[in-house]
C-alpha cells in the first residue's frame, strides 16, 4: 500500500495536477472570462493591503522561481562552480529570507480578511481556502529548512531535483527518488501539487494575465462615480 501511494503521489499525481491546471484554466477563460480576476478588496479597505500584498507577492514569486531553477537545473550544470552542499545552504538561506517575507505578508492579509467585517462578508469560500492552502504550504516549506540542516551534503536536494527532472522529461522511476525522504518534504510536494490541481477554480488564475507587469502595477484603483 505504501509503495502504491508513493507511486501515485509522486509518479502520477504531478501529471494529473498540472493537466487539470492547464486545461481547467483554458476552459475557465473560454467559458467564464468575467470571473478571471483577482477580486481586489482595496476598495473596501486600503489599510494593510499594500505592505501585506507586496511582501506576499514578492516573497512567493521569488520562492516559486527559486524552486523552479533549483529543482530543474541539472547537477552537472552547477557542479564546476559550487558543490551540492553549498547549493543546499544557498537554497536554505534564500528560502528562509523569501519565506519570512511571504509569511509576514500572508499573516497581514489573512488577519485583514478575517478582522474586517466588510471584507469577510465579500470573501468567497474558495478565496479563504486557497489562502490557507498557500499558508500551510509556506509553513511546510519553512519547516524543511531545519530538516535540511541535519544533512548538509546536498543528498536530499539532489534526490528531489532528480525527481522533478524525471517528471518534466517524462522519464520512468521518478517516484523512487522520493521514497527515502522525510515526510515533511513529501507533504510539501503533495500540497504544492494540490494547489496546482485547484488552481483553475480560484482567483490564482489572474497570475496568467500580466505576470511581467505585475510588480510595476500602480498601488491604487481608479474609481469613478456615476453621474
Amino acid at each position: 500500500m505504501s509503495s502504491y501511494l508513493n507511486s501515485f503521489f509522486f509518479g502520477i499525481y504531478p501529471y494529473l495536477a498540472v493537466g487539470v491546471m492547464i486545461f481547467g484554466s483554458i476552459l475557465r477563460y473560454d467559458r467564464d472570462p468575467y470571473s478571471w480576476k483577482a477580486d481586489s478588496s482595496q476598495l473596501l479597505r486600503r489599510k494593510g493591503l499594500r505592505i501585506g500584498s507586496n511582501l506576499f507577492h514578492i516573497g512567493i514569486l521569488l520562492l516559486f522561481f527559486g524552486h523552479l531553477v533549483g529543482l530543474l537545473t541539472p547537477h552537472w550544470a552547477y557542479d564546476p562552480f559550487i558543490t551540492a552542499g553549498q547549493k543546499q545552504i544557498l537554497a536554505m538561506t534564500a528560502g528562509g529570507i523569501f519565506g519570512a517575507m511571504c509569511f509576514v505578508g500572508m499573516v497581514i492579509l489573512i488577519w485583514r480578511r478575517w478582522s474586517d467585517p466588510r471584507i469577510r462578508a465579500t470573501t468567497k469560500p474558495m478565496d479563504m481556502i486557497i489562502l490557507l492552502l498557500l499558508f500551510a504550504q509556506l509553513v511546510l516549506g519553512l519547516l524543511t529548512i531545519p530538516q535540511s540542516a541535519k544533512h548538509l551534503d546536498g543528498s536530499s536536494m539532489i534526490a528531489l531535483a532528480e525527481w522533478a527532472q524525471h517528471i518534466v522529461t517524462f522519464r520512468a522511476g521518478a517516484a523512487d527518488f522520493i521514497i527515502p525522504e522525510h515526510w515533511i518534504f513529501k507533504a510539501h510536494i503533495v500540497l504544492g501539487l494540490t494547489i496546482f490541481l485547484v488552481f483553475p477554480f480560484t482567483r490564482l488564475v489572474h497570475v496568467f494575465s500580466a505576470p511581467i507587469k505585475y510588480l510595476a502595477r500602480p498601488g491604487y484603483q481608479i474609481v469613478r462615480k456615476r453621474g
Side-chain angles (χ1 to χ4, degrees), residues 148-168:
S148 298
K150 295 180 180 179
H151 42 82
L152 297 176
D153 58 351
S155 57
S156 287
M157 184 192 63
I158 291 177
L160 295 172
E162 285 291 341
W163 167 79
Q165 291 163 31
H166 273 64
I167 289 294
V168 299

Side-chain angles (χ1 to χ4, degrees), residues 59-72:
I60 203 167
L61 285 173
L62 291 173
L63 286 172
F64 176 78
F65 287 109
H67 278 67
L68 199 65
V69 172
L71 289 174
L72 299 184

Side-chain angles (χ1 to χ4, degrees), residues 13-35:
Y13 194 47
Y15 300 111
L16 177 64
V18 174
V20 170
M21 182 187 74
I22 294 173
F23 292 108
S25 297
I26 293 173
L27 286 174
R28 177 173 174 179
Y29 189 79
D30 179 63
R31 294 175 176 270
D32 195 12
Y34 292 106
S35 70

Side-chain angles (χ1 to χ4, degrees), residues 54-100:
N54 286 338
L55 284 173
F56 165 68
H57 284 99
I58 293 173
I60 203 167
L61 285 173
L62 291 173
L63 286 172
F64 176 78
F65 287 109
H67 278 67
L68 199 65
V69 172
L71 289 174
L72 299 184
T73 302
H75 179 65
W76 57 262
Y78 62 82
D79 187 52
F81 310 102
I82 58 173
T83 65
Q86 291 171 333
K87 183 189 175 187
Q88 179 171 315
I89 294 174
L90 177 63
M92 290 166 57
T93 304
I97 295 172
F98 302 150

